């Protein structure tokens, strides 16, 4: 689906009606207007991570487009969307077609690390821009970094460091991991182990399970309980995380004093579980709607577009990355921005970032967007005073400590 967005046509675009690409370009040339900037939102719109990203991320990107055009009246933007179906070949082929046939200038989101790495490669080949607001692999700013890619929201290094280090300092010195047996699970467990040991803690054991075939975690939870660990680290995501937490509650692990650390989870997951099940969980996010006045203002502006769905950090990352990209396009001129994705990303790095979701920040040479990481604890039901009032802030990791040091990533750009 294509959403053609002009200052007068934003509401029409949100309803799914589009101005044909050729006509938009022809009008631009005939009227002497700046060329159209085309953005493609590539996400999960139908699969297991739809509620994480997909429609809500698209709504947040639409909000960023509306705000950018209001601030820069000459800016003209068109949005496309596609479902990568969590398949690398489909994601790569989609963006290749976008770049070659639809004159797309930048791709946003891609909430799958394997697909994200493939998209980053295609964007570099075609000299376009990739705004990775959903992919979690730290390789995007490491050995596989690209001058055409910005990784905005989080990565495996940040998630594992912020959660594990803060929990060890809070007394959670003995850990047991339940890990999904695929690349993401392996990576985040390995990185968390390093931070736990560096902080003075230890890992008493770990067990891996087949992904995505496992729905019964009872045997794994019994092993965790028998280990004597103080913290159960869940190195998984999505429905696996939700199911594991529900079953851990049924086994009474939290009542026996074991805290549960979610290595990757979102407000969306907490909403799915409900506070009676999720209370006491700890997790790291880089955005929360009720963090400060600016985040609350953003939620107020975007609420109607999301249909009441509260944005999580991935959705907020899509908004913020898009807004900064469009600010950069306006500053350097749309025609120039369309000529070179690499030059546009370099300009994005040179310009300080500032938005209502993440506040002030910057983008490093390796493409890593820097902002604080927040460790939250999920509230008890009686503590929640409003819809989505789920988190209590436990600890804040400053930007310079939250993400992998530039010199340690192996990025040639550094």
């Amino acid at each position: 689906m294509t959403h053609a967005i002009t200052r007068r046509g934003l509401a029409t675009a949100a309803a799914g009606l589009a101005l044909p690409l050729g006509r938009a370009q022809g009008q631009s040339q005939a009227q002497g207007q700046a060329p159209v900037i085309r953005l493609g939102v590539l996400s999960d719109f139908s699969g297991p991570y739809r509620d994480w990203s997909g429609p809500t991320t698209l709504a947040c990107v639409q909000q960023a487009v509306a705000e950018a055009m209001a601030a820069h009246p000459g800016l003209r933007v068109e949005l496309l969307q596609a479902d990568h179906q969590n398949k690398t070949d489909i994601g790569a082929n989609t963006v290749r077609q976008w770049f070659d046939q639809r004159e797309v200038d930048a791709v946003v989101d891609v909430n799958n690390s394997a697909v994200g790495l493939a998209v980053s490669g295609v964007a570099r080949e075609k000299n376009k821009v990739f705004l990775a607001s959903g992919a979690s692999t730290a390789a995007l700013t490491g050995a596989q970094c690209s001058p055409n890619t910005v990784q905005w929201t989080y990565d495996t290094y940040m998630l594992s460091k912020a959660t594990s280090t803060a929990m060890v300092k809070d007394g959670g010195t003995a850990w047991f991991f339940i890990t999904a047996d695929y690349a993401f699970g392996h990576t985040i467990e390995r990185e968390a182990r390093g931070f736990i040991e560096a902080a003075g803690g230890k890992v008493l054991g770990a067990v891996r399970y087949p992904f995505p075939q496992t729905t019964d975690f009872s045997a794994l939870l019994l092993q965790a309980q028998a280990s004597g660990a103080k913290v159960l680290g869940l190195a998984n995501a999505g429905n696996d995380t939700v199911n594991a937490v529900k079953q851990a509650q049924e086994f009474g692990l939290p009542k026996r004093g074991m805290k549960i650390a979610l290595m990757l989870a979102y407000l969306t997951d907490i909403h799915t579980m409900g506070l009676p099940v999720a209370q006491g969980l700890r997790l790291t996010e880089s955005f929360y709607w009720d963090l400060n006045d600016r985040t609350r203002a953003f939620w107020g502006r975007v609420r109607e577009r999301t249909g009441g769905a509260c944005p999580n950090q991935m959705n907020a990352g899509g908004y913020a990355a898009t807004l900064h990209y469009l600010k950069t396009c306006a500053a350097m001129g749309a025609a120039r921005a369309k000529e070179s994705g690499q030059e546009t990303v370099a300009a994005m790095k040179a310009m300080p970032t500032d938005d209502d979701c993440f506040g002030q920040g910057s983008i490093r040479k390796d493409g890593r967007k820097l902002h604080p990481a927040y460790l939250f604890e999920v509230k008890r039901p009686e503590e929640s005073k409003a819809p989505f009032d789920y988190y209590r802030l436990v600890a804040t990791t400053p930007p310079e400590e939250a993400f992998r040091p530039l010199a340690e990533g192996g990025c040639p750009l550094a």
Side-chain angles (χ1 to χ4, degrees):
M1 180 181 294
T2 302
H3 294 303
I5 299 184
T6 62
R7 286 174 59 78
R8 292 186 303 171
L10 186 62
T12 302
L17 301 178
L19 183 68
L21 294 177
R23 180 181 168 193
Q25 187 68 28
Q27 287 180 341
S28 172
Q29 294 172 348
Q31 298 173 8
Q33 296 174 318
V36 176
I37 296 293
R38 295 186 176 86
L39 283 163
V41 179
L42 184 66
S43 192
D44 186 343
F45 286 94
S46 61
Y49 306 126
R50 179 185 185 277
D51 291 341
W52 275 8
S53 53
T56 307
T57 295
L58 176 63
C60 291
V61 170
Q62 289 175 331
Q63 181 67 32
V65 170
E67 292 178 16
M69 289 194 304
H72 307 282
L75 191 64
R76 306 175 69 240
V77 183
E78 188 170 282
L79 273 184
L80 293 81
Q81 71 179 81
D83 191 336
H84 54 57
Q85 300 178 43
N86 293 290
K87 296 179 180 179
T88 303
D89 58 341
I90 291 177
N93 290 336
T94 297
V95 298
R96 190 177 296 277
Q97 183 183 52
W98 277 353
F99 293 151
D100 289 344
Q101 301 177 22
R102 308 301 299 274
E103 299 183 25
V104 167
D105 303 295
V107 175
V108 191
D109 192 8
V110 192
N111 62 316
N112 179 298
S113 290
V115 180
L117 288 169
V119 170
S120 182
V122 177
R124 184 170 191 169
E125 173 192 341
K126 300 295 183 179
N127 196 18
K128 302 292 187 176
V129 175
F130 176 32
L131 307 173
S133 59
S136 63
T137 176
L140 282 168
T141 56
Q144 298 188 55
C145 70
S146 163
N148 296 75
T149 294
V150 174
Q151 188 175 25
W152 197 276
T153 316
Y154 53 79
D155 58 34
T156 50
Y157 183 99
M158 180 271 270
L159 294 168
S160 56
K161 180 178 182 179
T163 302
S164 57
T165 302
M167 292 198 71
V168 171
K169 289 180 180 179
D170 197 35
T173 54
W175 287 61
F176 188 94
F177 279 95
I178 293 178
T179 302
D181 193 10
Y182 69 114
F184 165 78
H186 300 173
T187 299
I188 207 159
E189 179 196 326
R190 181 180 66 250
E191 293 184 347
R193 279 176 176 268
F195 295 125
I196 290 166
E197 293 168 359
K202 56 184 176 180
V203 177
L204 302 182
V207 60
R208 293 177 177 177
Y209 66 88
F211 174 85
Q213 293 82 14
T214 302
T215 56
D216 184 357
F217 292 89
S218 56
L220 311 181
L221 292 167
L222 287 174
Q223 293 183 56
Q225 180 180 324
S227 72
K230 296 179 180 180
V231 180
L232 171 60
L234 294 181
N236 54 14
N239 291 334
D240 284 6
T241 299
V242 173
N243 290 333
V245 169
K246 288 182 177 180
Q247 292 171 38
Q249 291 284 10
E250 293 171 0
F251 274 80
L253 267 61
K255 292 181 180 179
R256 294 184 174 91
M258 178 177 279
K259 289 187 176 295
I260 301 175
L262 309 184
M263 306 311 294
L264 174 59
Y266 303 89
L267 188 78
T268 319
D269 298 311
I270 305 306
H271 186 69
T272 299
M273 297 177 201
L275 291 184
V277 171
Q279 58 182 312
L281 295 177
R282 291 196 173 186
L283 69 160
T284 294
E285 297 210 49
S286 54
F287 164 83
Y288 176 47
W289 73 270
D290 200 23
L291 190 64
N292 54 51
D293 289 342
R294 295 189 71 178
T295 56
R296 286 187 285 272
F298 167 72
W299 171 219
R301 294 197 306 274
V302 80
R303 186 191 305 261
E304 185 176 351
R305 291 186 189 277
T306 66
C310 189
N312 60 33
Q313 62 177 341
M314 186 188 300
N315 312 140
Y319 162 84
T322 300
L323 188 66
H324 188 67
Y325 168 72
L326 293 176
K327 285 180 181 178
T328 305
C329 291
M332 64 190 299
R336 184 178 170 193
K338 290 176 71 67
E339 288 179 0
S340 171
Q342 185 171 332
E343 185 178 350
T344 304
V345 168
M348 291 178 68
K349 294 175 182 178
M351 181 187 297
T353 64
D354 191 11
D355 60 82
D356 283 350
C357 292
F358 300 91
Q360 296 179 342
S362 61
I363 302 172
R364 281 192 324 206
K365 294 179 181 179
D366 58 354
R368 176 67 260 169
K369 165 64 170 55
L370 300 179
H371 43 247
Y374 305 101
L375 180 69
F376 295 107
E377 182 173 277
V378 179
K379 292 181 176 181
R380 298 191 302 272
E382 61 270 21
E383 294 177 303
S384 179
K385 306 302 181 184
F388 302 107
D389 176 22
Y390 294 159
Y391 289 166
R392 179 192 308 108
L393 181 62
V394 175
T396 300
T397 304
E400 60 274 13
E401 298 178 16
F403 295 95
R404 181 177 56 204
L406 184 64
E408 296 179 9
C411 173
L413 303 176

